[in-house]
Amino acid sequence: MSNTIGIDKIAFYTPDYYVDMVELAEARGIDPNKYTIGLQQDLMAVIPVWEDIVTMGANAAQQIIDDADRSLIDQVIFATESSFDYSKSAATYIHRLLDIQPQAASFEVKQACYAGTAGLMMAVNYVRLNPNRRALVITSDIARYGLESSGEPTQGAGAVAMIISNQPRILAIEEETFKYSTEHYDFWRPSHSPVALVDGHFSNELYMDSFVKVFQDAEEAMGRRLATISAFVFHLPYTKMAKKALDALSEAETQLDEKKRSSQIAHWQDQLPAAIEYGRRIGNTYTAALYISFISMLKENETLKAGDRIGLFSYGSGAVSELFFGELVEGYSGQLAETIGLEELANRQQISVAEYEQLFTERDQMDTTNASFDIPETYQGFYLREIDENRRYYDFK
Ligand code: HMG
């Protein structure tokens, strides 16, 4: 049985539109520094009605999938908390749109933002048992709290696609991981509600407590080996959360002596700017946020090198978390070269606060039984063409 399993390919997608956080703050009568410094958010991705979790997931996967993958992928695992169907999974559309071989299993997983990691771990374990096969993991979400709500500046939309194999060219994932579940109402979305409900400050506390808990467990199991971690990446509901988690660690009990601990945490804090570059420009993408941060760090941190060990902290409200580790593989940056980065994010189209509000409301008021959409000439990628008697039809242009 092969032990080296991990991420062979990874890419993200986010819609073409964004709103500037300074403009949003001004429209809400709030000091813009609260958004840009207090939350560390500069831009927020806005999704138009002709895109959804399926089109975003397919647009992410389209960047990395090739014919060998199509014939070897046995599992299409779709993680989301923005599902539009209680029964039929978004994975079934992805399976068809990407023309993956028919003897594959396609299904959806849910546990708030943690679901992406649950899907990744299922994929890793599948490949461990079936070493010559592959799995496709999609994480795709639309973060919605409502216009003028306190969560509004932490919205966003995006997706990540990952291909898992036993010859990973990006990250070899270590077997031992550290998990923590505790039942709470920090953030939840009852099935009748188009927006999430949230106890914002409590959710921050629970996130930080969960990180400290799994870190302490990892330290107990790994001892000094934990100090060899080159950088941590975090689930980013807003990008300052990563700094807050490491700050919480400075105040917690750990096995390292105080001097070593503070220099280690200071080093991990220094690695954060690269890891939050994309999140600052996109916002929360729930299941995708941790993995967009991972791509951001790999593409924007020039000090990392093959052989470095990375820690990834996944958190999903409700609440479940997992801390896991992986080693960067020789040539990983070449493997990422073609995927979307800062340049593409800079080429998106800025919209006004009024246009964002219109798109937000249109999604709420959209007839989800029968609808057709006017797609802009310039749009490229998968899109939702129409909904006919509750059936969704997608196309590519
Ligand atoms: P709020 O009450 O509007 O803001 O809620 P605040 O008063 O806490 O201020 C936010 C930060 O801005 C604070 O910094 C202020 O000091 C600072 P902190 O003390 O936290 O470091 N600030 C300023 N800085 C500079 N200049 C100023 C200024 N004013 C204030 N003038 C909150 C913020 C994030 C709670 C809210 O937006 C919210 O509820 N968001 C949604 C929930 C959320 O994102 N929770 C995060 C943890 S839970 C999680 O990650 C899971 C999740 O992704 C869902 C899932 O798992 O599916 C959400």
Side-chain angles (χ1 to χ4, degrees), residues 31 33-34 37-39 81 112-114 145 150-151 153-154 186-187 198-201 203-204 207 235 237-238 240-241 244 284 286 315-317:
D31 178 353
N33 287 340
K34 175 173 175 183
I37 300 170
L39 298 174
E81 50 183 306
C113 305
Y114 169 70
Y145 295 91
S150 65
T154 63
D186 62 323
F187 163 108
V198 64
D199 185 345
H201 292 276
S203 73
N204 284 339
Y207 179 116
H235 164 57
Y238 53 92
K240 195 184 186 183
M241 197 70 232
K244 285 164 75 76
N284 196 356
Y286 294 159
Y315 175 82
S317 287

Side-chain angles (χ1 to χ4, degrees), residues 6 66 83 110 121 125 149 177 181 232 238 242 247 265 272 303 319-320 390:
D66 63 19
S83 203
K110 176 181 78 176
M121 293 305 161
N125 290 330
S149 66
T177 76
S181 288
F232 274 93
Y238 53 92
D247 287 347
I265 293 174
L272 290 179
T303 63
V320 180
N390 288 303

Side-chain angles (χ1 to χ4, degrees), residues 167-197:
Q167 289 179 324
R169 284 169 288 180
I170 294 176
L171 188 77
I173 295 176
E174 295 177 13
E175 273 191 62
E176 191 171 27
T177 76
F178 302 89
K179 298 171 272 294
Y180 179 56
S181 288
T182 177
E183 203 260 336
H184 287 290
Y185 276 106
D186 62 323
F187 163 108
W188 66 110
R189 207 193 109 191
S191 39
H192 60 81
S193 174
V195 292
L197 308 180

Side-chain angles (χ1 to χ4, degrees), residues 270-321:
D270 287 347
Q271 307 305 308
L272 290 179
I276 66 173
E277 286 269 10
Y278 298 178
R280 286 189 81 112
R281 293 163 172 80
I282 295 172
N284 196 356
T285 50
Y286 294 159
T287 53
L290 166 64
Y291 299 98
I292 291 179
S293 178
F294 177 59
I295 298 171
S296 183
M297 188 191 66
L298 295 191
K299 288 192 80 147
E300 307 306 328
N301 184 331
E302 284 167 9
T303 63
L304 287 176
K305 54 187 186 322
D308 283 351
R309 289 176 72 218
I310 309 295
L312 295 94
F313 175 64
S314 178
Y315 175 82
S317 287
V320 180
S321 18

